Amino acid sequence: MEVAAAKFIGAGLAAIGMIGAGIGVGNIWASLIATVGRNPSAKASVELYGWIGFAVTEAIALFALVVALIVLFAG
């Protein structure tokens, strides 16, 4: 197998982590919307945790993207 083909396969496998992050973001917002729908007065207290969860989950996606790009373009 050529080195270039192995890099493409490795980058694709590293990018699989972004699928999990997308599912996680969807779960976070769905839970936040359901919580506010059940108890609208709790919006102020749960919205901050929703944004923190979103940021952490997106950070995982960015880490997966950086790893994929390093595998693809590094030496």
Side-chain angles (χ1 to χ4, degrees):
M1 179 186 305
E2 292 183 22
V3 175
K7 282 186 177 184
F8 286 134
I9 292 171
L13 290 174
I16 289 175
M18 289 187 281
I19 295 171
I23 293 169
V25 168
N27 285 337
I28 288 169
W29 290 121
S31 296
L32 183 68
I33 290 169
T35 301
V36 172
R38 289 180 184 170
N39 188 3
S41 64
K43 181 183 179 194
S45 62
V46 297
E47 191 173 24
L48 174 67
Y49 295 115
W51 282 107
I52 291 172
F54 169 74
V56 170
T57 307
E58 278 298 312
I60 293 170
L62 289 175
F63 292 150
L65 178 65
V66 168
V67 168
L69 291 175
I70 288 173
V71 167
L72 192 59
F73 295 115

